[in-house]
Amino acid sequence: MIRTAEPSDVPLILDLIRELADYEKAPQEAVATLEQLHEVLFGANPAVFGLIAEDDGTGEPVGFALWFRNFSTWRGTHGVYLEDLYVRPSARGGGHGKALLTELARICVRRGYSRMEWSVLDWNEPSIGFYRSIGAVPMDGWSVFRLTDDALSALGAE
C-alpha cells in the first residue's frame, strides 16, 4: 500500500500537489515545476522525501506524503516535518492516510527521531479529527509565521 517515491513518480506527485492545492482552496499557490520537484527529491543532494499510497487491489496511486528532516534543539534530535499529506477523495476512508502516517512514524522510530510535526488548516475538521484519533495533539499557543515573495526579498536585501 505504501512505497517510497521514485523519479518516475514526479509527474504524479506534481498532479497530487495541485489536487491538494485545489482542496485547500489555493490552486494559484501551487507553482512548483517538475524540474524543481525532481531536483529536491532525487537530485545530487535530496532534501525532501516522498511516499506514495497505492490501492491494494488495483495498484493505482491514491495519495502521497512529502516530508523533510527538521531538528529539535530542546530534544537534541532530528524529527520529521510532514509538508504535505493528501489522499484522493475517491480513496478516503480506505486507510491510506493512516498508512502514510504509520510509515512516517516507523521512519522516525528506526532513525531515532523524536517527533513528527505538520500543519493543518483550521477549517479542515475531517483531518483534525483524524489526526486527534491517532494521538496527535495541536500545538496550542503557537502560531505559524511565513515570509514569502516581496517581504522575503525585502528582508533578504537588507
Side-chain angles (χ1 to χ4, degrees):
M1 180 183 283
I2 305 301
R3 65 174 175 79
T4 300
E6 302 170 356
S8 62
D9 291 317
V10 172
L12 167 68
I13 292 168
L14 185 57
D15 287 344
L16 292 168
I17 288 169
R18 289 179 178 154
E19 288 180 33
L20 173 60
D22 283 341
Y23 175 75
E24 292 187 348
K25 302 175 178 115
Q28 72 286 354
E29 294 185 37
V31 297
T33 67
L34 289 170
E35 294 77 17
Q36 287 172 316
L37 288 175
H38 189 275
E39 182 61 28
V40 298
L41 285 160
F42 304 106
N45 298 300
V48 179
F49 307 93
L51 298 171
I52 304 295
E54 295 178 337
D55 181 89
D56 284 335
T58 66
E60 177 81 19
V62 295
F64 80 117
L66 288 185
W67 63 276
F68 54 88
R69 286 189 331 165
N70 61 12
F71 186 79
S72 170
T73 56
W74 289 14
R75 292 182 173 238
T77 64
H78 284 288
V80 161
Y81 186 83
L82 175 59
E83 178 63 24
D84 286 332
L85 183 137
Y86 177 73
V87 174
R88 288 182 163 148
S90 62
R92 291 185 188 150
H96 304 289
K98 184 172 184 182
L100 287 163
L101 288 171
T102 298
E103 182 58 26
L104 285 171
R106 287 181 182 136
I107 290 168
C108 288
V109 170
R110 278 194 310 266
R111 297 181 184 183
Y113 298 170
S114 61
R115 65 185 181 195
M116 183 168 62
E117 297 178 318
W118 61 92
S119 297
V120 60
L121 292 166
D122 292 340
W123 57 260
N124 194 344
E125 287 298 328
S127 293
I128 292 169
F130 167 65
Y131 297 145
R132 286 180 186 270
S133 78
I134 63 167
V137 294
M139 297 299 297
D140 293 334
W142 291 81
S143 295
V144 176
F145 282 78
R146 180 175 293 158
L147 272 176
T148 61
D149 304 324
D150 292 341
L152 178 63
S153 296
L155 184 60
E158 287 187 11

